[in-house]
Amino acid sequence: MALFAHGFRPFFLMAGIVAPLGVGLWALALAGLPVPGGPLPMMRWHAHELLAGFVGAAMIGFLMTAIPNWTGRRGYSGLPLVVIAGLFLAARLALLPGSPVPIAVAAPLALVPLPATMLLVLPALIRAKTARLFGPPLLVLGFWAGQMMMLAEAAGWWTVPGWATGQLLMANMALVLVVLIGGRIVPSFTLNALRTAGRPAVPAPLPGVDRAAILSVTVVVAVDLVMPGGVAAGLAAAAAAVLVALRLSRWYGLRTLRWPLLWVLHLGYLLVALALALKALSLLGGLPWAGAWLHLQVAGALATMILAVMTRATLGHTGHDLVASPMTTVAFVALLAAALLRVFGSAALADPLTAQMAAAVLWVLAFLLFLAAYAPMLVRPRADGKPG
């Protein structure tokens, strides 16, 4: 079955389904329409599923695609992939609004897919004997620790408030992964495309800025764990914003405007810097309009980079040309508009609910367009007849 011929296939498909579902049902509840209760309160379900469901699915799909490339082993397929995908789907269904499964059962079920994935990929990493390859999986385990904190409080396993801390840890760990992996693929894909187009370029030297940008975002994670929401967190975010922006400035983003599959990668990385800057303005300046910085981080930076990687990887690994269709380009623009409207619309419009509803519609549209264009590629054999 083609859907289970490669690790990215079922998980990119589930990411594309969870994203509009997680926002769409939440928007219906905000609008006052009846949405059935479930193991989690509606707002908590929305936050959890955008991170553990949408971002988590993209993470698993990415790891199952990248690790075979990094280690030279065959891609993950068949029964192991079916089992992991089945566990992930069961977790989503157990937590879905209307589910009769109690949180004491749904929470442990929801915590299984990520460590199960790590156990699946661990042998290949060990055999590769390359320490740096363990970096992304360790970040995913940190992401999972945040999920455990969120669900432990919800299930009543401890009385220490862990929902907000866990949510922030998940968002931050995913951000480090974007900074780390994006820092490899964005300049690589860009310089290769420019070279092919006969416009070769060399990044301007800025000694130490690459490592400093990664380190600065790691510091953001640490500070948010021990001193969240204060001056130290604001200063860490401000420093990280500057360094990430400096790193991005060397990658010739303006030369990619004719290639949507490239400029969307630069856009995603830019939104990382903007989300960190907005966070600094909120924490250091107390500006009310900057208070939605976490939405810009998750619905902006993380979602844009995920959509950018899913579209490019799906095209490449299903034997299609690396060319964005008009539908894909509209999805990119709709997602950006959704994030900006969600973050800044509430301050700009007299009725914040109107901005949230409009942002939700654009978000859902973006991922329905993704599904319309890429679901057929994900469930069918490769266009070029090759395995995978």
Side-chain angles (χ1 to χ4, degrees):
M1 185 178 181
L3 181 60
F4 298 105
H6 206 301
F8 72 92
R9 288 176 174 270
F11 286 98
F12 285 0
L13 181 62
M14 284 192 282
I17 293 171
V18 172
L21 189 66
V23 169
L25 288 181
W26 170 236
L28 292 178
L30 277 181
L33 297 176
V35 177
L40 289 173
M42 193 63 200
M43 186 169 70
R44 291 194 169 195
W45 174 81
H46 161 70
H48 180 270
E49 288 305 287
L50 280 191
L51 288 166
F54 167 55
V55 178
M59 280 184 172
I60 295 175
F62 171 78
L63 286 178
M64 287 191 174
T65 305
I67 287 176
N69 292 336
W70 296 342
T71 62
R73 64 144 283 155
R74 287 184 57 194
Y76 298 98
S77 61
L79 183 59
L81 182 56
V82 171
V83 170
I84 301 294
L87 290 170
F88 189 88
L89 179 60
R92 308 282 69 78
L93 293 176
L95 289 170
L96 191 68
S99 166
V101 180
I103 187 61
V105 175
L109 183 60
L111 290 170
V112 171
L114 281 175
T117 302
M118 295 302 102
L119 289 175
L120 180 63
V121 303
L122 186 60
L125 295 173
I126 293 174
R127 285 194 295 269
K129 298 179 181 179
T130 305
R132 64 180 176 81
L133 296 183
F134 285 87
L138 287 174
L139 291 173
V140 173
L141 287 178
F143 178 87
W144 178 73
Q147 183 192 11
M148 186 162 53
M149 294 171 69
M150 292 176 76
L151 292 178
E153 182 192 340
W157 297 338
W158 61 24
T159 57
V160 177
W163 187 270
T165 303
Q167 177 179 323
L168 187 54
L169 180 58
M170 293 181 80
N172 282 344
M173 282 296 185
L175 198 70
V176 177
L177 191 61
V178 163
V179 171
L180 181 66
I181 300 300
R184 296 177 185 174
I185 65 174
V186 178
S188 174
F189 292 160
T190 300
L191 297 179
N192 286 341
L194 292 175
R195 192 179 304 113
T196 302
R199 302 174 61 196
V202 178
L206 277 175
V209 72
D210 289 333
R211 290 186 179 181
I214 297 169
L215 178 61
S216 68
V217 182
T218 306
V219 170
V220 167
V221 177
V223 174
D224 277 346
L225 272 176
V226 297
M227 294 180 289
V231 172
L235 291 173
V242 171
L243 289 166
V244 169
L246 279 175
R247 192 183 194 198
L248 173 64
S249 70
R250 303 167 57 239
W251 296 341
Y252 299 96
L254 292 178
R255 297 192 187 181
T256 68
L257 296 181
R258 61 171 136 163
W259 299 304
L261 290 179
L262 282 177
W263 63 247
V264 73
L265 289 168
H266 289 262
L267 174 63
Y269 217 81
L270 175 62
L271 288 172
V272 172
L274 291 178
L276 289 166
L278 201 66
K279 178 179 179 179
L281 289 172
S282 175
L283 298 182
L284 299 177
L287 301 176
W289 55 267
W293 59 266
L294 187 58
H295 284 90
L296 189 60
Q297 181 170 323
V298 176
L302 298 184
T304 300
M305 191 61 78
I306 286 170
L307 188 60
V309 170
M310 290 198 305
T311 51
R312 187 182 186 93
T314 299
L315 289 170
H317 287 283
T318 57
H320 292 84
D321 293 334
L322 291 176
V323 178
S325 66
M327 190 181 296
T328 301
T329 305
V330 173
F332 294 157
V333 174
L335 183 59
L336 174 63
L340 296 179
L341 191 57
R342 176 61 184 87
V343 173
F344 301 109
S346 296
L349 299 179
D351 181 10
L353 183 60
T354 300
Q356 293 183 38
M357 291 297 105
V361 169
L362 287 168
W363 170 281
V364 171
L365 173 64
F367 285 98
L368 290 181
L369 289 173
F370 167 78
L371 289 172
Y374 292 89
M377 301 181 200
L378 293 168
V379 302
R380 294 172 183 166
R382 286 180 59 114
D384 55 10
K386 295 180 179 179

